[in-house]
Amino acid sequence: MSTRRKFIRNSITSLGVFGLLGPDAIAQVGNAIQSSVSQKNEVTFAEDEFTWSKIQQSFNIDRSIINLNNGGLSPSPSMVMESFKKDLDYSNELPALKMWKHLEPKIEDVREELAAEFGCDSEEIAITRNASEALENIQFGLDLKAADEIITTDNDYPRMLTTWDQISRRSGVIIHKIKLNLPVNDDELLNTIEKKITPRTKVIHVSHVLFSTGQILPIGKISKLAHNKGIEVICDGAHSFSHFPFKHSDLGCDYFGTSLHKWTYAPVGTGFLYVRKDKIKKLWPLMAAPKKLDDNIRKFEEIGTHPAANHNAILDALEFNRTLGINRKAERLRYLNKLWIDRIKNYENVHFITDVINQGKSCGIISFRIDGIDPGRLKKYLFDEHKIYFINVKIGNKQTMRITPNVYTTKEEIIKFADAIATYIKK
Ligand SMILES: Cc1ncc(COP(=O)(O)O)c(C=O)c1O
């Protein structure tokens, strides 16, 4: 913990803002992990149900429903919610003093801790309310002119594609949407991107993890290809940060935007924007900022009055993830997904749209279809009969089932899901 962060946390504690629950909960998770991990490597740790039961208890969630849509949004652990709620109450005692003067400065600690986790300078991180805000700062902020070209894909996030469409309608920028063959083959993707590049290509915008299938794309290789030709790279990391281990140096992108209410477990309304230091000056912020902030990453935070509690609770969420370990989290998610995949993969009408063969190409998100079975009806059946909740995403014109467990998902829940699917197929 940075000195500055310790100082602020101590001063906030003395103001009565922090309770005991946060640190206690971290200690409990930490103890459970430590006693187990001392004898195990990460792969066998993923199967240690006793330790995971302690981690599952860190979330106060509705256990009457099996939630397999954690890709959309994740609940926060209780310790994050406690800290968040305490800060909200404390703010409300005298917002103009207690929120603005006591709590808001903690945003600098959030910046430092996010930078440490992402592997960049803290002066390259702006705190946003979600990935959309982070990415639209970049998309609207670049000085693009008519006939400049952008390369993206048909499986990038619909809101980000809508943003490019609007920019194109307004200023004549040309958007090339590459059609992905799913599951994506890395070499084929790189070749297709390379073929689309022209002397007018300015930016390549691509997701680190596809929202539709959970496939992890080779951003590092795409950045190398782009930079060799003087093209900038925007990485949509809405689904990657805190999901599996990586650092900015693995991606090499110029810009990165993510939400923290998905895999980081921070409260709803949290995200961050990364801008490579030498690019900050030329990128216009989405909401106007004074000239003196031209070269300052904080110009992207000029959003008017907003709660401090949301972004401050990012610190607690990061601490939870660190105690858990992103590598251990990723292995557990892969293990949970393997459990249900193995139980249904031999039915000949089951097709995975995510690459589930090549290790490392996916983690917590898996998409699949079953020939002859309507995904909408299956979704309704699983909810009505088994209280299992997930979503279908539209890929092209086909509805596709997208399954995302979480660290609080139990082995029994996953097996129940797999058995319910198998029974439905047999019927
Ligand atoms: C790949 C991707 N990008 C961007 C977003 C937007 O995230 P948010 O709605 O949190 O801004 C999402 C949301 O699911 C996403 O999956």
Side-chain angles (χ1 to χ4, degrees):
M1 195 184 296
S2 68
T3 316
R4 180 184 165 76
R5 184 169 158 203
K6 258 189 225 145
F7 167 75
I8 294 185
R9 184 167 263 216
N10 290 343
S11 56
I12 301 279
T13 307
S14 67
L15 289 167
V17 176
F18 264 102
L20 285 173
L21 203 132
D24 269 3
I26 292 180
Q28 275 169 29
V29 171
N31 288 344
I33 289 172
Q34 238 170 25
S35 60
S36 173
V37 92
S38 51
Q39 315 115 29
K40 297 171 199 284
N41 65 31
E42 276 102 31
V43 177
T44 52
F45 179 83
E47 300 171 32
D48 178 353
E49 294 311 313
F50 178 72
T51 304
W52 283 100
S53 71
K54 305 271 180 252
I55 294 158
Q56 288 150 11
Q57 286 158 23
S58 313
F59 291 79
N60 185 10
I61 50 159
D62 180 355
R63 285 277 171 202
S64 70
I65 296 173
I66 298 175
N67 180 9
L68 297 179
N69 179 16
N70 290 280
L73 204 50
S74 172
S76 298
S78 304
M79 52 166 282
V80 174
M81 289 307 291
E82 279 304 312
S83 162
F84 173 47
K85 288 187 273 190
K86 280 197 167 75
D87 275 6
L88 279 179
D89 283 341
Y90 183 72
S91 298
N92 198 49
E93 290 173 13
L94 203 172
L97 175 70
K98 299 199 177 187
M99 188 181 82
W100 277 343
K101 302 275 186 251
H102 295 167
L103 296 182
E104 187 59 29
K106 238 173 125 186
I107 197 168
E108 295 306 324
D109 297 308
V110 177
R111 196 185 315 285
E112 266 180 42
E113 298 297 326
L114 284 171
E117 213 53 50
F118 190 55
C120 69
D121 193 301
S122 58
E123 291 301 316
E124 296 174 311
I125 294 281
I127 315 305
T128 63
R129 289 165 292 189
N130 46 51
S132 304
E133 183 180 322
L135 294 164
E136 291 197 25
N137 260 296
I138 310 161
Q139 293 173 280
F140 284 117
L142 290 166
D143 258 332
L144 296 167
K145 324 180 280 302
D148 282 346
E149 295 181 16
I150 309 297
I151 297 174
T152 184
T153 80
D154 62 345
N155 271 259
D156 267 272
Y157 194 62
R159 183 174 299 110
M160 286 32 264
L161 295 180
T162 300
T163 304
W164 283 126
D165 282 346
Q166 184 177 304
I167 290 170
S168 172
R169 293 203 305 279
R170 188 171 179 182
S171 61
V173 169
I174 297 162
I175 316 298
H176 295 290
K177 256 182 261 172
I178 289 173
K179 184 175 167 2
L180 297 183
N181 290 323
L182 301 171
V184 174
N185 171 290
D186 284 2
D187 291 338
E188 188 186 317
L189 173 64
L190 285 157
N191 279 336
T192 315
I193 292 177
E194 189 160 18
K195 280 193 202 133
K196 270 277 169 236
I197 293 175
T198 76
R200 291 185 306 276
T201 306
K202 295 287 184 280
V203 175
I204 296 174
H205 171 135
V206 66
S207 291
H208 192 186
V209 174
L210 295 180
F211 83 99
S212 49
T213 71
Q215 183 150 353
I216 303 169
L217 298 188
I219 304 297
K221 289 183 181 165
I222 294 172
S223 295
K224 235 180 226 158
L225 169 67
H227 290 159
N228 280 341
K229 295 176 186 281
I231 299 166
E232 298 190 318
V233 175
I234 303 175
C235 177
D236 178 343
H239 274 296
S240 60
F241 187 73
S242 309
H243 183 171
F244 48 85
F246 71 92
K247 295 284 181 199
H248 171 260
S249 56
D250 299 314
L251 309 179
C253 54
D254 304 280
Y255 310 98
F256 181 92
T258 192
S259 294
L260 298 169
H261 40 232
K262 293 180 188 286
W263 297 98
T264 308
Y265 312 148
V268 177
T270 48
F272 79 78
L273 162 67
Y274 160 86
V275 182
R276 195 188 283 278
K277 218 180 224 161
D278 59 349
K279 312 265 177 195
I280 295 172
K281 194 165 189 176
K282 65 155 193 162
L283 192 71
W284 293 96
L286 202 51
M287 291 177 84
K291 185 161 177 28
K292 66 172 194 264
L293 289 185
D294 269 359
D295 212 2
N296 189 326
I297 193 74
R298 291 161 194 79
K299 72 181 178 182
F300 303 106
E301 294 168 0
E302 290 287 300
I303 57 167
T305 304
H306 57 274
N310 300 51
H311 59 59
N312 286 359
I314 294 170
L315 289 175
D316 302 271
L318 287 176
E319 214 156 311
F320 181 86
N321 278 283
R322 277 182 190 151
T323 308
L324 189 54
I326 303 294
N327 49 349
R328 291 192 281 266
K329 175 176 177 176
E331 289 304 335
R332 173 67 173 180
L333 292 168
R334 289 191 170 114
Y335 169 71
L336 290 174
N337 275 330
K338 191 169 177 330
L339 279 177
W340 70 266
I341 289 169
D342 283 353
R343 278 174 165 73
I344 65 163
K345 70 180 182 198
N346 291 331
Y347 290 98
E348 61 186 23
N349 53 347
V350 170
H351 303 286
F352 290 96
I353 320 301
T354 314
D355 184 345
V356 290
I357 313 264
N358 291 303
Q359 242 214 345
K361 290 288 167 210
S362 66
C363 189
I365 305 176
I366 304 288
S367 292
F368 74 117
R369 296 188 197 115
I370 309 174
D371 288 345
I373 288 180
D374 172 32
R377 288 178 77 161
L378 179 55
K379 178 172 179 281
K380 183 170 173 358
Y381 163 81
L382 287 176
F383 191 78
D384 291 349
E385 300 296 322
H386 298 284
K387 287 273 182 281
I388 295 171
Y389 180 71
F390 65 94
I391 59 154
N392 291 328
V393 291
K394 208 166 169 195
I395 304 180
N397 57 4
K398 283 192 181 157
Q399 287 293 345
T400 307
M401 294 170 281
R402 190 185 81 171
I403 305 304
T404 48
N406 207 332
V407 293
Y408 62 76
T409 308
T410 66
K411 187 175 171 184
E412 289 72 26
E413 287 173 331
I414 283 291
I415 291 172
K416 187 172 172 193
F417 164 69
D419 288 348
I421 296 270
T423 308
Y424 197 84
I425 294 172
K426 281 188 241 161
K427 269 203 232 162

